[in-house]
Amino acid sequence: MENHTHSPKELLADKIAHWSILLVIFLAPIFFIPSVYVPFQFSKVALLFIGIVVSVCVCTIARLKDGIIKAPTHPLFISLAVVPVAYAVSALLSPAKTVSLIGQGFEIGSLLFIAALVFFALAVSYFFSTKQKVVYSYFAFIATIPVVALFQFIRLLFGPNILTLSAFAGPTSTLLGGWNDLGIYFGLAALFSFITLELLKLEKWMKIVIGTILGISLFFLSVISFSVVWYILAGFALIFFVYNFSFNRAHMHAESPLQSDDSKRTVPVVSLIVLIISVFFILLQGNLYRSLPIFNRLVVDNVEVRPSLQATWEIAKQTLKRDPLFGAGPNRFSAEWLTSKPDVINSTVFWGTDFNYGIGLIPTFLVTTGIIGFLSWIVFLVLFLYMGFKALFTRTVDIFSRFILVSSFILSLYLWIFLFFYVPSAPLLILTFFFTGVFMASLVEAGLVKTRAFNFVKDPRTSFASVLVFIVLIIGLIISTYAVGRRFIASVYYNKALVEANINANVEASEQNLVRALQLSDNDLYYRTLTDLNLIKINILLSRKDISQEVMQNQFRAHLAGAQGAAQSAVNNDPSNYQNWLSLGKVYESVVPFNIEGAYAEAQKAYMEAKRLNPKSPSILLVVARLDVAQKDIAKAKAEITEALRLKPDYTDAIFLLSQIQINEGDLPSAIKSVENAAYLNPTNSGVYFQLGLLRYENKDYTGSVGAFEQAITLTPDYANAKYFLGLSYSKLGKNPEAIKQFQELKQSNPDNKEIDLILTNLTAAKDPFAGVQPPLDNAPEDRSRPPLKDDTAAEETEDR
């Protein structure tokens, strides 16, 4: 892009804008705030917004002063600028406008985040108009690679706990986000390294630096073992080998600050080496170090699940039938997933997962922004590819300009490819639009794209309109920054609330932080959490014995009103979110046992609305069934359970509820049969076998109860309550030595339990275990207010998640 003529103050303004973008590039992969209260990705999004606001505002002020702006009119630039316009229309038509505009915390599918990325790319294309500025930006990019590598290597070598800060919960947490995000990043670093080594004749020290980065990147790719990266890297290495070998550098008569004058046709050795290594790891089909015990620290198991291409396409077809032009609205893939997901999903372990994206980011946009939004991306990418291939074979530029053209195009293309079958983290999206912006700037600098100068101060009418646009732009950026800041601070308060509730068990402090969060951001998630807090306060209140009945009633009404108000606010904030309706229904359901007039009807109404929004969820049907049980409408409850089991035949929680109903009806054989079905469908759940053992024990099938309890202990060796009843079952069968052994083991884990002492004494004397005492078998241990035994290892949850 051509340089402008500036006064010193204007030049300073552009320098500030340029350096603010450089800081974003440098910090995006490594920046985070080491606090449990600060959302990891949100901090990177805030960084992007700060960089954009500073650069655009400073540039706007400078242009207002000199009255001249030069801008490319090529369709490539225009098509990119059209993308957020399509998103804006889709967001305005969305049934949940706040979700589409901003989301919970500026998710990557929201309008504001997409607009920020487009602004960022256009700002890069404007400010990085010289080779020197591009060199600075490339150095900013490569400078973070050793930092990321060192951080991850320390965690690999010494274990993830060595640097377990608040943002890094497990071994697959990285500075970029997820484990596969790190793989894409190092693939990008490897691609940049071998392109640089092939296209430029570097000084020796620089060759060592770039070669080291290449080696580090390939090493981490071998550890991460994200096979897709190897395939794409191999493809680029092959294409680049052919391209570089065929394109004779001796014919390029131009100067480069990094290029010596002895260029000759050479074999692209680096590309060939990268190609061979990539093919090797593709054929290996896994982590090289898994078979080498000495390198076991380099083996990290990682599972990332997202809908398949077919499932994403099915969701898109159903959505486009209803909203063909502008889709469901930005950031609303999960709503469409819930209504249109394939039935087979309920037979997998991900049946209860609300996926926010499809197989990739671009396919997701087909669902969320419809044909118009999707085509806006496709038009831009087609123009991008056209200009990229045109740039690859131009001979009208010097060698270093060619390096910038080729490298920026290939690096951005590499990242764009992943957007079709992966959902990258915010730092990778920032890098995608950065390299895209550099490529667009290099097209202007190389003369492949022309610019036009607009002097908007000569004509008063043009001046008025232009100044008005600039002022509106600045105001819009300021408002957006204010909104980002409020949401960011609100998220901090929300996380504080979660810590106070879940870790410190301080309900009052949690509520105070939630109120502060809601004062800054009217968020349905915060309202749902406030609803849960009020319900917890009700449970605590009902367990108190130190207050009068009148005080308890007054506080009960206050907490109930608080829960109801928060749940209703969540619904009002986003009536298209089924979780908000579940939260409201839960409030009314909590007072159904108190026979409060209208509570059952209101709970039923809220749950039915949740069911309408999430019609394929068996868990909602189970919630409705439990409500019907509380209302003593057993026939209706059974019908809901039957429907839940039709959607998910292996839904053990539904089977358990059915068995409880059958027990209450006196039909113990049917209850046993139901739990036997649950055990068959979920053979690794020790809790299922424990429940089965209890039912068989109550049915006086002591042989059957022994088998069930033994299986529970096999699955969970320290399952103390299962050992307790196994010992009693052995005693009923006359197997006193086996019974004594079980209670002796229980004595070790429960040394202060007097009941075990008494049972052991009786069994040793060949007496009934409860000789002289009342056996506590009216309820299962888990159903008591205080279980008789302490489990060293808790049993697995019975719910299949």
Side-chain angles (χ1 to χ4, degrees):
M1 186 177 292
E2 299 178 27
N3 289 321
H4 309 272
T5 301
H6 300 286
S7 66
K9 288 185 178 180
E10 293 166 340
L11 182 60
L12 176 61
D14 284 343
K15 282 185 176 180
I16 292 173
H18 171 249
W19 282 100
S20 67
I21 294 176
L22 279 182
L23 280 175
V24 173
I25 298 307
F26 175 75
L27 293 175
I30 61 175
F31 176 76
F32 70 96
I33 299 175
S35 170
V36 69
Y37 304 130
V38 180
F40 179 68
Q41 290 292 340
F42 202 164
S43 62
K44 295 179 181 291
V45 173
L47 174 70
L48 172 65
F49 271 90
I50 291 171
I52 292 173
V53 168
V54 171
S55 60
V56 174
C57 285
V58 169
C59 175
T60 301
I61 294 171
R63 299 294 78 77
L64 283 172
K65 190 167 185 178
D66 63 21
I68 299 174
I69 184 171
K70 289 186 177 181
T73 57
H74 192 275
L76 176 66
F77 291 76
I78 297 173
S79 65
L80 182 59
V82 166
V83 170
V85 176
Y87 269 71
V89 176
S90 178
L92 292 175
L93 297 174
S94 170
K97 292 180 176 55
T98 302
V99 173
S100 295
L101 290 170
I102 302 175
Q104 299 286 358
F106 301 95
E107 292 92 334
I108 60 178
S110 65
L111 165 65
L112 198 56
F113 187 76
I114 294 297
L117 290 175
V118 171
F119 261 100
F120 186 64
L122 294 175
V124 170
S125 71
Y126 185 85
F127 292 112
F128 289 73
S129 55
T130 65
K131 299 173 188 175
Q132 185 182 30
K133 289 181 178 180
V134 173
V135 170
Y136 287 155
S137 69
Y138 277 11
F139 274 122
F141 165 66
I142 65 175
T144 60
I145 298 173
V147 178
V148 174
L150 179 61
F151 178 89
Q152 205 61 44
F153 185 74
I154 291 174
R155 281 170 59 86
L156 285 172
L157 191 61
F158 299 103
N161 293 331
I162 192 68
L163 289 175
T164 301
L165 303 172
S166 59
F168 308 99
T172 59
S173 300
T174 72
L175 286 169
L176 274 295
W179 193 240
N180 288 342
D181 293 308
L182 186 68
I184 297 172
Y185 175 76
F186 278 117
L188 181 70
L191 193 59
F192 174 86
S193 301
F194 83 71
I195 290 175
T196 303
L197 290 171
E198 292 287 18
L199 289 184
L200 296 179
K201 193 72 174 180
L202 304 171
E203 298 290 340
K204 184 176 181 180
W205 69 271
M206 204 165 185
K207 278 187 176 180
I208 294 173
V209 170
I210 301 298
T212 301
I213 290 176
L214 176 59
I216 291 172
S217 301
L218 293 174
F219 164 74
F220 274 101
L221 286 177
S222 71
V223 173
I224 296 166
S225 193
F226 187 18
S227 60
V228 177
V229 176
W230 286 120
Y231 278 104
I232 295 178
L233 194 60
F236 274 109
L238 175 61
I239 293 171
F240 198 80
F241 176 84
V242 175
Y243 167 80
N244 203 27
F245 186 80
S246 303
F247 213 92
N248 191 347
R249 289 184 290 178
H251 293 167
M252 303 177 195
H253 305 292
E255 297 180 357
S256 168
L258 302 176
Q259 177 82 18
S260 67
D261 57 0
D262 60 346
S263 297
K264 298 179 182 179
R265 182 189 295 275
T266 57
V267 176
V269 177
V270 181
S271 301
L272 184 59
I273 292 174
V274 172
L275 175 61
I276 293 172
I277 292 174
S278 299
V279 171
F280 170 77
F281 281 99
I282 290 172
L283 296 175
L284 187 65
Q285 293 184 342
N287 192 308
L288 172 66
Y289 312 102
R290 193 173 296 276
S291 58
L292 304 172
I294 192 173
F295 296 117
N296 63 341
R297 289 192 178 275
L298 300 181
V299 178
V300 178
D301 293 320
N302 176 59
V303 178
E304 289 188 22
V305 180
R306 57 190 184 277
S308 65
L309 177 61
Q310 181 180 357
T312 304
W313 174 240
E314 289 299 323
I315 303 299
K317 286 195 300 183
Q318 296 301 319
T319 304
L320 295 179
K321 287 180 182 178
R322 298 188 299 269
D323 304 288
L325 294 181
F326 293 99
N331 206 31
R332 295 194 70 250
F333 179 86
S334 61
E336 298 302 307
W337 169 262
L338 295 173
T339 58
S340 306
K341 67 180 180 182
D343 293 337
V344 69
I345 297 297
N346 278 335
S347 63
T348 71
V349 296
F350 306 104
W351 64 272
T353 303
D354 299 346
F355 288 103
N356 294 316
Y357 305 95
I359 188 172
L361 197 57
I362 299 295
T364 299
F365 293 154
L366 179 61
V367 174
T368 58
T369 60
I371 295 173
I372 300 297
F374 183 74
L375 283 180
S376 67
W377 286 112
I378 298 302
V379 169
F380 165 73
L381 290 174
V382 169
L383 291 169
F384 169 78
L385 289 172
Y386 170 75
M387 293 305 298
F389 286 114
K390 183 177 179 180
L392 287 178
F393 298 101
T394 183
R395 293 176 176 270
T396 59
V397 295
D398 61 83
I399 292 176
F400 195 72
S401 294
R402 171 174 298 282
F403 164 71
I404 296 174
L405 274 170
V406 172
S407 62
S408 60
F409 171 66
I410 291 179
L411 293 173
S412 53
L413 178 59
Y414 166 87
L415 292 169
W416 279 108
I417 289 173
F418 277 99
L419 264 62
F420 279 89
F421 52 85
Y422 189 71
V423 181
S425 61
L428 289 178
L429 285 170
I430 292 172
L431 290 174
T432 301
F433 281 80
F434 161 68
F435 284 113
T436 302
V438 170
F439 172 66
M440 294 164 70
S442 67
L443 291 174
V444 176
E445 197 274 338
L448 297 175
V449 168
K450 303 300 181 183
T451 62
R452 287 185 60 187
F454 299 92
N455 189 327
F456 54 86
V457 296
K458 287 184 177 181
D459 188 335
R461 291 171 298 180
T462 305
S463 177
F464 175 80
S466 301
V467 171
L468 181 62
V469 170
F470 282 134
I471 295 300
V472 170
L473 177 61
I474 292 176
I475 293 174
L477 288 171
I478 292 174
I479 293 174
S480 299
T481 305
Y482 178 72
V484 171
R486 287 178 65 91
R487 289 250 167 179
F488 184 81
I489 297 172
S491 69
V492 172
Y493 278 123
Y494 175 70
N495 286 327
K496 282 185 177 181
L498 294 182
V499 171
E500 291 292 347
N502 298 326
I503 297 177
N504 300 332
N506 189 335
V507 176
E508 297 300 329
S510 178
E511 184 177 25
Q512 292 172 4
N513 282 293
L514 269 178
V515 171
R516 293 190 186 104
L518 284 165
Q519 289 171 347
L520 294 168
S521 175
D522 196 39
N523 191 310
D524 61 320
L525 173 62
Y526 302 168
Y527 281 122
R528 291 201 305 271
T529 308
L530 184 59
T531 301
D532 292 338
L533 277 182
N534 277 284
L535 293 178
I536 290 172
K537 290 167 72 174
I538 289 175
N539 290 332
I540 294 174
L541 177 66
L542 294 176
S543 66
R544 294 182 62 179
K545 306 296 183 182
D546 58 336
I547 58 177
S548 66
Q549 189 71 18
E550 182 180 357
V551 172
M552 179 176 288
Q553 288 177 354
N554 291 335
Q555 291 188 8
F556 179 85
R557 293 191 190 99
H559 297 334
L560 180 61
Q564 183 180 0
Q568 189 62 57
S569 295
V571 169
N572 295 341
N573 186 276
D574 183 8
S576 67
N577 189 335
Y578 80 96
Q579 294 184 28
N580 295 335
W581 290 101
L582 282 179
S583 183
L584 181 60
K586 183 165 57 176
V587 173
Y588 288 114
E589 181 186 5
S590 67
V591 296
V592 167
F594 300 103
N595 296 318
I596 295 179
E597 185 178 355
Y600 171 77
E602 290 297 326
Q604 186 80 3
K605 178 182 175 182
Y607 286 150
M608 287 300 102
E609 185 63 20
K611 180 181 176 182
R612 184 186 69 81
L613 295 168
N614 189 1
K616 299 189 177 184
S617 170
S619 62
I620 295 179
L621 291 166
L622 184 60
V623 168
V624 176
R626 285 171 175 159
L627 175 66
D628 292 330
V629 170
Q631 187 67 10
K632 297 182 174 53
D633 191 343
I634 303 303
K636 193 173 181 182
K638 284 185 174 181
E640 298 289 352
I641 293 172
T642 300
E643 178 63 15
L645 292 174
R646 184 190 67 80
L647 291 174
K648 183 174 175 58
D650 60 345
Y651 193 17
T652 53
D653 274 14
I655 296 173
F656 278 137
L657 180 58
L658 179 60
S659 69
Q660 290 169 10
I661 292 173
Q662 291 165 336
I663 291 171
N664 292 335
E665 292 178 334
D667 190 0
L668 192 57
S670 294
I672 293 173
K673 184 64 177 177
S674 295
V675 180
E676 286 176 344
N677 290 337
Y680 174 77
L681 295 168
N682 197 355
T684 61
N685 192 321
S686 58
V688 174
Y689 284 101
F690 177 74
Q691 296 291 338
L692 178 59
L694 285 178
L695 291 177
R696 287 175 174 172
Y697 188 94
E698 186 175 346
N699 200 38
K700 302 187 182 341
D701 178 9
Y702 301 118
T703 301
S705 68
V706 164
F709 290 132
E710 285 179 340
Q711 183 63 22
I713 295 170
T714 299
L715 294 169
T716 306
D718 295 321
Y719 201 160
N721 285 322
K723 288 183 178 182
Y724 179 91
F725 283 100
L726 177 60
L728 295 181
S729 299
Y730 280 141
S731 175
K732 292 293 185 181
L733 293 173
K735 298 181 178 181
N736 268 24
E738 289 86 346
I740 291 172
K741 179 182 177 183
Q742 294 300 319
F743 285 102
Q744 285 175 339
E745 292 178 1
L746 286 172
K747 180 62 179 174
Q748 296 177 5
S749 58
N750 295 266
D752 300 325
N753 193 298
K754 302 301 181 183
E755 185 177 306
I756 294 178
D757 292 336
L758 179 60
I759 292 174
L760 279 173
T761 300
N762 287 332
L763 288 174
T764 304
K767 296 180 179 179
D768 184 272
F770 297 102
V773 297
Q774 181 68 30
L777 298 178
D778 295 335
N779 296 299
E782 280 79 354
D783 294 334
R784 298 178 177 185
S785 59
R786 293 184 62 190
L789 303 173
K790 178 186 72 177
D791 275 342
D792 292 334
T793 302
E796 299 177 16
E797 294 184 5
T798 57
E799 185 172 356
D800 182 14
R801 294 189 182 276

